[in-house]
Amino acid sequence: MNSCWISPSYFPQIKASILEPKTKIQPISSKPDFSTEKIESFLPFNVKSITSTSNPFVKHCLKLRQNSSYRHSHGSVLVVGSTPIREIYSFQERVPERPITLDCLLVLDEAHIHDDLNLQSVRLVRISSMVMKKLSGLQSIDSIEMIALMKIPSTFHSVDDEFLEEDCSTWFKNAHRVLVLDGIQDPGNLGTLLRSAMAFGWGGAFLLPGCCDPFNEKALRASRGASFQLPLVSGDWLHLDAVRNHYNMKILAAHPANDQKPRRISRLTRDFTDSLADKPLCLVLGSEGGGLSERAKDSSELVSIPMTGEFESLNVSVAGGILLYMLQPENHKDLSSG
C-alpha cells in the first residue's frame, strides 16, 4: 500500500457525535441502536502518544482488527494506511450526506504532518513503530504511516427476521443494480468485488450467509475503502426476496456454461446486456470453492461468460469484474455507441 500525504480537503469536519456499536443483528423496522461506550474508556484525553504494545487501547484496537464480533459489538473499525483513509474521505467530500465518523488517527511517531492538514475535529495520537507494526498486522510498515479508528458506517445494515418489506427502501438509495455475494469467504475476493461494484456505479451489495466480514482487515485492504462507500446489507434469502419484490428486480447468477445438470444458461453478450439495460437487477456471485448455492441456482436466471480457452471457470473476482462492467447502469450506452 503506497504511502502518500493526505491533503486538507480529505479531512472534512467530522461529526462530533459518537455512534453506538451494534451488539447483534438489528431489526430494520427501527433505527439501529448502538452502545454508549466511548473511546475515552480505552484512551484518556490526556494521552498524546503510545509506545507500548501492552497499552489497553492498543489491545482494544488489536481485537477490533482480529475479531469480527468484537468489531461489530463496538461499532468500530481499524483502517490501515493513508491510501484507504484518503479514499474514504475523498468520498465523504463528494457525498457529504453519508457522514463518516473518525474517532482517532494514529500516526507513526517520526512521520511528518503538514502544518496545513485540517485535523481540528480529529484526535491525533503518535505511536511507536513497534505499536504500528502490532496494529497493522503487516511484516513491513515502510509504507504505513497512519491508522484510523472509524465507526462502522450507517450505510451498513445487518438485519434479522423482524422487518417490514417496505423497510428495504432504506437499505439502498439506488437499487437499480445490486451485487449479491453468496458465501464469499475469501476477504481479498470480497473486497475486490466491492471495489469493482463501486467503480462501475452499482447501488450496493447484499451479503448472504457465509460471507466474510466486509470490515475484515484484508477485505478493507482489497476494497480500498469501498466498504465505507457502498451501501451494504447482511441478511438471508428472506431479506433478499423482500428486496426483489419491493423493487421488482430480476435475479441473475453467474454460472459456468459446462454445468452437468440440464439448466438453461444465457451467454453474457452485448445483446443480452442491452436487453436488461432498464430492468432492475441483482447479480449473484458464488464462492470459488462451492460455487452458487442450490437456492441461488433455483431462484436466478443463470448467465455464463463466453470463453475460448480450456479453463472451466474464472476466479470469482475476475468473473465478477467482467459481469459488473457489462451490466453496469450506463454501460449499454457506451457499448452501443462504441
Side-chain angles (χ1 to χ4, degrees):
M1 197 175 293
N2 295 327
S3 171
C4 55
W5 296 114
I6 304 177
S7 71
S9 63
Y10 291 127
F11 282 86
Q13 295 296 321
I14 310 299
K15 284 187 131 184
S17 61
I18 302 296
L19 296 177
E20 303 173 356
K22 298 179 183 178
T23 56
K24 60 185 282 294
I25 289 176
Q26 297 290 340
I28 287 300
S29 54
S30 60
K31 197 112 174 140
D33 191 21
F34 296 87
S35 95
T36 56
E37 187 173 37
K38 296 183 179 181
I39 188 175
E40 290 76 31
S41 61
F42 297 99
L43 186 66
F45 273 121
N46 63 328
V47 175
K48 303 299 181 184
S49 66
I50 301 175
T51 59
S52 172
T53 57
S54 61
N55 181 283
F57 181 67
V58 173
K59 293 180 179 180
H60 167 64
C61 290
L62 195 60
K63 289 182 74 174
L64 289 177
R65 180 172 66 79
Q66 296 175 335
N67 189 299
S68 178
S69 60
Y70 187 84
R71 189 183 307 131
H72 285 274
S73 70
H74 287 271
S76 296
V77 181
L78 274 192
V79 181
V80 177
S82 58
T83 300
I85 295 171
R86 188 182 71 253
E87 293 275 2
I88 291 168
Y89 277 94
S90 174
F91 173 77
Q92 167 78 99
E93 187 179 50
R94 297 192 308 273
V95 190
E97 65 269 21
R98 296 188 194 173
I100 296 168
T101 303
L102 189 150
D103 280 337
C104 183
L105 190 67
L106 307 175
V107 183
L108 195 61
D109 51 10
E110 66 268 22
H112 174 67
I113 298 290
H114 287 186
D115 294 336
D116 60 351
L117 196 58
N118 181 16
L119 294 175
Q120 295 103 326
S121 303
V122 180
R123 183 174 181 186
L124 189 147
V125 176
R126 293 284 183 169
I127 59 175
S128 66
S129 58
M130 187 179 301
V131 172
M132 178 66 80
K133 189 169 184 178
K134 185 81 169 178
L135 290 181
S136 70
L138 301 174
Q139 290 298 318
S140 173
I141 58 169
D142 291 343
S143 62
I144 305 297
E145 294 182 333
M146 58 185 66
I147 294 176
L149 180 62
M150 297 183 175
K151 290 298 183 185
I152 290 177
S154 59
T155 49
F156 174 78
H157 299 278
S158 187
V159 298
D160 61 15
D161 295 341
E162 298 179 24
F163 77 105
L164 300 175
E165 185 175 309
E166 53 266 31
D167 293 325
C168 299
S169 61
T170 66
W171 301 348
F172 303 111
K173 184 176 180 180
N174 174 15
H176 186 64
R177 292 287 187 271
V178 173
L179 173 64
V180 179
L181 302 182
D182 185 15
I184 304 292
Q185 297 179 343
D186 183 88
N189 283 335
L190 186 138
T192 300
L193 288 166
L194 296 183
R195 183 179 176 184
S196 296
M198 190 72 201
F200 295 131
W202 284 56
F206 194 104
L207 311 181
L208 287 167
C211 287
C212 73
D213 185 354
F215 301 103
N216 168 288
E217 56 178 315
K218 293 181 179 177
L220 283 175
R221 201 174 303 141
S223 75
R224 292 284 288 270
S227 298
F228 283 82
Q229 303 172 43
L230 195 69
L232 303 176
V233 175
S234 177
D236 57 29
W237 275 97
L238 175 69
H239 311 119
L240 183 57
D241 283 339
V243 173
R244 172 172 59 178
N245 294 334
H246 185 75
Y247 292 104
N248 192 27
M249 304 182 81
K250 184 182 187 67
I251 297 187
L252 298 180
H255 196 59
N258 57 353
D259 187 2
Q260 302 298 319
K261 294 184 179 180
R263 300 180 188 271
R264 183 181 181 278
I265 304 177
S266 302
R267 286 166 59 86
L268 184 68
T269 64
R270 179 183 298 185
D271 288 341
F272 179 78
T273 57
D274 283 350
S275 70
L276 298 171
D278 299 319
K279 179 69 177 175
L281 289 178
C282 287
L283 171 65
V284 185
L285 300 175
S287 67
E288 245 188 289
L292 294 169
S293 63
E294 288 302 316
R295 176 67 184 271
K297 293 176 186 177
D298 294 338
S299 303
S300 314
E301 177 179 339
L302 304 180
V303 59
S304 68
I305 299 172
M307 296 187 295
T308 57
E310 298 298 323
F311 281 99
E312 183 178 294
S313 63
L314 297 170
N315 170 281
V316 66
S317 62
V318 174
I322 294 171
L323 287 153
L324 288 166
Y325 167 73
M326 290 290 288
L327 293 164
Q328 67 180 302
E330 298 299 322
N331 191 54
H332 63 288
K333 296 179 182 177
D334 298 333
L335 287 172
S336 59
S337 60

